[in-house]
Amino acid sequence: MADKQVMVDVDQVTIRFNLSSQKIDNLKEYFIKFIKKELMFQEFLAVKDVSFTVHRGEAWGLIGTNGSGKSTLLKAISGIIKPYQGKITINGSIAPLIELGAGFDQECTARENIFLNGCVLGHSLKYMEEHFDEIVEFAEIEKFLDSPIKNYSSGMKARLGFAIATMVKPDILIVDEVLAVGDYKFRQKCEKRMKELLAGGTTLLYVSHNIAEVKRLCDHALWIDKGNTRMIGEVNEVCDAYMEEMKN
Amino acid sequence: MNHEKSKLAQYLSEFWRYRDLLKLLVSKNIKLKYRRSWLGYVWSILNPLLIMIVMTVVFSSMFKRNIENFPVYLFCGQLLFNYMNNSTTQAIFSINNSAALLKKTYVPKYMFTLARITSGLVDLLFSLGALVLVLIATQSRVTWYALLFPFVLLQLYVFCVGLGLFLAQANVFFKDTQFIYSAFTTAWLYLTPIFYPLEALPEGIQWCISHLNPMYFFIGQFRALVYSGTMPETYLIISGCVAAVAMLLLGMWSFMRSKDRFILYI
């Protein structure tokens, strides 16, 4: 265990969130709030002092009730949010699937979006050209390649997003409850793909409310409750404890 | 020092990694602008040309300024000012409009601002075609100096990138920026000698404009090259370069300082 390379190191991380119910949008409010020193925002700590270490090839499930800070933690690991305190160290490339098709431009066609989304993930145009057919095949959208993405169903968008993100072999794959919209067949396909990646040495961070799925895919789990670490360890133990609590 | 150096290297390598994104965003901006329009890209040439004709008719009949070859004089100023105005106005919204994406994936945020300014530049290059048409139509005398125009556009581009970055980050925290800026550019337009000669103004204002208005530096140089067919004054070249670099540094500094907090506000 100790000789395995550390892929993600989350060290006592606290993440601050802006809860400000009314945004300050004009000068008058600005000055009033400035005097009251409420200018910036109402602080809300979405994740409090969480630490864990992920080694190469491990698959971690993040579980917890809605609003417990799972997604926020994943966003911090992907580099979208900077932690307020603590430190996150990443070794390797990340493919974040926080929301499938987040990089899509609604006005553009699927063909254009494949390139756009690929570049958002940091790939070159040349690389995307090489993998274009593969992506289209996996997403099963050959017939609709040249229609604008705004006319796509959410399932189709999800398929395309997943296909683009997993076409590269990332060192770390981050999946946040994104497969819920796909149909059964597609979810099977995604699971198969994730297992392939795992077998190839990719590290997985997985958020899902489907505990059975977490148990199937992951070997470790982290249970977060209202931003605090509740339990951390082997997947079955954590999941069982979580289910036990949910029943009560 | 070493730390600073590695940080700079990190930024540069990140920019290099995402260079294709910039390319795509620029071509997307341009494509979407004219998608489903009948004349498409032709508008990039036709639009400034039409505006120039309207303004030439208005100003040459209303005001007798006696500017020699007024269409070219006007067009040189108008093209550059419009580019600055349009691209920075679009850049203001570049971060706010990309909120959905910035919340879900990590992308260097300045790419969206940079893409706006760059697609404006591509538009400007199309519009230069219209300038060539005007030069031919008015049978203007053009010298080899005109070929130095990319040097002026480079200064203007750098200036606009800096201004765009500054405005984009300001608008994240303070939405009034967009409204203040639109009033500001209107004043700026009238305080730049585009359709009148600088000498038409009172001396005090003349001094302010020729020392403090960066657009005067750029338009002045461009006019010297294309309209007068001479080398620009050294003063204009130096102040143009200084204004561009100073604006870029201000923009980058303000953007870098606040970029990590964008996510909390968009």
Side-chain angles (χ1 to χ4, degrees), chain B residues 17-50:
Chain B
R17 183 169 166 228
Y18 282 94
R19 67 194 184 281
D20 280 345
L21 176 64
L22 180 65
K23 232 189 281 172
L24 265 188
L25 285 175
V26 170
S27 73
K28 187 193 88 178
N29 287 345
I30 294 169
K31 257 192 227 160
L32 286 185
K33 187 170 167 192
Y34 295 118
R35 181 162 285 178
R36 304 230 168 95
S37 105
W38 188 56
L39 282 176
Y41 297 113
V42 178
W43 277 117
S44 280
I45 298 177
L46 208 54
N47 204 22
L49 206 57
L50 290 176

Side-chain angles (χ1 to χ4, degrees), chain B residues 110-130:
Chain B
Y110 58 82
M111 280 295 176
F112 297 97
T113 313
L114 201 56
R116 281 293 172 194
I117 304 288
T118 310
S119 35
L121 184 69
V122 176
D123 238 2
L124 173 64
L125 293 178
F126 279 125
S127 310
L128 286 181

